[in-house]
Amino acid sequence: MWERLQQVKERFLRVEATLAQGVEDAEQLQKLGREHKQLAPIVALHEKWSRVEEALRHARRELESARDPEWRALAAEEVERLTEEKNQIERQLKLALLPPDPDDDKNVVLEIRAGTGGDEAALFAGDLARMYQRYFDKRGWKWEISDFTEGNAGGYKEIILLVRGEGAYGWLKYEGGVHRVQRVPQTESQGRIHTSAASVAVLPEPEEIDIQIKESDIRKDTYCASGHGGQSVNTTYSAVRLVHIPTGITVAIQNERSQIKNYEIALRILRARLYELELQKRLAKEDALRRSYISTGDRSVKIRTYNFPQNRVTDHRIGLTLYNLDRIMEGELDELLEALRLADQTQRLAQMEAQAG
């Protein structure tokens, strides 16, 4: 770990010096800025560790030289406190030095689909969409709805959002899976609690260089966009359906009035789904010890339950229960996502230590 820390510190100083000299290339400046931001907390932690280590050495000398029993007791308490603080910082350093997921800085294609529960499932999918939109706004991320199909009683049978923001996938990747809701539906006259579900897929949006698609592998169909109930909403063939022939993956987009715009969005989503397919193949080849189901999330696995009568939300992967569902539905997801991120990092650290041992 200490050798890796020295490398990080040296790299941080080089990046800092380069930025101080000035960088004319905007793309290079942005890249170095991101790297500086990633390395700075690690360097700060190391400096904090050094200060605590020096204080601990001083406290141990005081303990060894103390003759007065009361003074020895105070010195012993200080040694114990500083030892605990040093151990905590070392653990934080180990977590900070874990290899980052190369996809963490990517933008996201977020897909929400109503599951079991009929109209109530569609309403819940709509609630999830609003919850995420509020979270995006709180983080200052840009987002847009690329396509949607409304439910019969409101909400969405399906909605696809494109999300752009620093570290978007790194935070949102924990949301993939089945979300279950327990509440009294608006249509329930006798006050009985129903259980419904919606699935969430979180796809990192790759660059063109990550996934290259041959034009000969795509079949493009155009048709008139349809509205609620299936009726045509315009007479131009603006809706686009792309079929990736080798995999059979299909993407249909009709939200925009422009066929060109719909085609561009469909191509971005197709590229993201193909990238996810390759990602899952790669994960399947990895040793089971290295895989983290906290972050990679099987879409068919129930990850979270939202219980409205008790204002309770439970994440089943880490056994976390919070009684602030009302605030979570307003987009206050930080506590949940930070707990998932820490659990993921802790699991990865344990796996690395088990392999090293």
Side-chain angles (χ1 to χ4, degrees):
M1 181 180 81
W2 304 113
E3 182 180 349
R4 169 65 177 145
L5 270 173
Q6 186 59 36
Q7 293 172 351
V8 167
K9 190 170 183 178
E10 290 173 358
R11 176 58 185 168
F12 176 77
L13 292 174
R14 287 199 298 271
V15 169
E16 200 166 47
T18 303
L19 289 171
Q21 292 170 1
V23 180
E24 293 184 3
D25 183 81
E27 186 175 343
Q28 180 69 2
L29 178 62
Q30 188 178 36
K31 182 180 178 182
L32 288 173
R34 284 198 302 266
E35 188 176 5
H36 185 274
K37 188 175 181 180
Q38 291 169 351
L39 297 178
I42 302 175
V43 173
L45 266 177
H46 188 215
E47 291 174 350
K48 183 179 180 181
W49 179 91
S50 297
R51 291 194 297 271
V52 171
E53 170 68 7
E54 177 60 30
L56 181 57
R57 284 198 295 266
H58 178 74
R60 283 171 175 163
R61 288 195 296 268
E62 289 288 325
L63 178 61
E64 290 172 1
S65 62
R67 296 290 179 265
D68 180 73
E70 187 175 345
W71 186 252
R72 282 185 60 82
L74 289 173
E77 287 181 8
E78 184 68 358
V79 168
E80 183 179 359
R81 183 187 70 79
L82 289 170
T83 300
E84 176 62 25
E85 185 176 359
K86 176 187 170 185
N87 291 338
Q88 287 180 357
I89 297 172
E90 286 183 2
R91 179 172 177 77
Q92 291 172 347
L93 279 169
K94 288 179 180 179
L95 292 174
L97 288 171
L98 283 171
D101 184 335
D103 291 328
D104 277 355
D105 283 332
K106 284 184 166 60
N107 295 326
V108 165
V109 176
L110 184 72
E111 303 178 346
I112 305 172
R113 293 180 178 85
T116 56
D119 289 342
E120 169 62 10
L123 290 169
F124 178 51
D127 292 338
L128 287 178
R130 283 186 290 275
M131 176 187 76
Y132 289 126
Q133 289 163 10
R134 289 162 182 161
Y135 175 67
F136 304 156
D137 290 340
K138 289 177 188 294
R139 293 202 71 118
W141 294 346
K142 304 297 183 182
W143 59 271
E144 61 180 292
I145 297 175
S146 69
D147 203 47
F148 65 92
T149 303
E150 294 180 328
N152 296 326
Y156 299 104
K157 292 180 180 178
E158 177 184 23
I159 181 170
I160 302 174
L161 300 104
L162 304 179
V163 188
R164 300 179 183 84
E166 184 177 345
Y169 183 72
W171 287 102
L172 294 176
K173 63 185 178 182
Y174 304 106
E175 294 302 286
V178 175
H179 297 238
R180 186 177 69 167
V181 62
Q182 295 172 331
R183 64 183 177 188
V184 179
Q186 297 176 7
T187 55
E188 173 59 57
S189 59
Q190 298 182 20
R192 292 175 298 185
I193 296 175
H194 287 226
T195 299
S196 304
S199 66
V200 175
V202 182
L203 316 181
E205 185 181 354
E207 304 292 336
E208 288 189 31
I209 57 174
D210 295 328
I211 290 290
Q212 296 182 353
I213 306 175
K214 297 179 182 178
E215 288 188 18
S216 58
D217 287 342
I218 301 176
R219 190 183 80 234
K220 175 184 173 183
D221 302 323
T222 59
Y223 54 98
C224 294
S226 59
H228 183 65
Q231 72 272 23
S232 176
V233 296
N234 62 46
T235 57
T236 62
Y237 285 76
S238 60
V240 173
R241 182 188 298 110
L242 299 183
V243 179
H244 187 248
I245 298 170
T247 62
I249 293 175
T250 301
V251 179
I253 299 294
Q254 63 172 21
N255 194 45
E256 300 290 336
R257 293 185 176 275
S258 164
Q259 183 185 125
I260 294 175
K261 180 68 173 175
N262 283 331
Y263 174 77
E264 290 173 350
I265 293 172
L267 193 59
R268 288 172 62 185
I269 294 172
L270 176 60
R271 188 176 286 116
R273 290 183 183 174
L274 288 171
Y275 186 78
E276 185 203 27
L277 188 64
E278 291 301 314
L279 182 63
Q280 294 304 322
K281 287 179 182 177
R282 190 177 77 214
L283 290 171
K285 293 179 181 178
E286 290 186 357
D287 180 8
L289 279 175
R290 296 175 58 201
R291 297 170 65 186
S292 171
Y293 290 98
I294 295 172
S295 61
T296 58
D298 186 332
R299 292 191 197 185
S300 64
V301 173
K302 179 185 68 178
I303 65 166
R304 193 175 298 151
T305 296
Y306 303 73
N307 185 295
F308 277 75
Q310 297 180 21
N311 197 36
R312 183 186 76 222
V313 62
T314 299
D315 195 288
H316 305 290
R317 294 164 293 180
I318 58 175
L320 175 65
T321 296
L322 301 173
Y323 289 88
N324 59 349
L325 177 56
D326 53 342
R327 297 202 301 274
I328 286 172
M329 297 309 295
E330 290 297 318
E332 295 183 20
L333 294 172
D334 287 336
E335 185 175 5
L336 257 178
L337 296 184
E338 285 170 3
L340 285 162
R341 191 176 182 124
L342 178 60
D344 186 21
Q345 291 174 333
T346 301
Q347 180 183 350
R348 289 170 59 206
L349 180 60
Q351 291 166 354
M352 289 182 65
E353 291 176 340
Q355 289 177 326

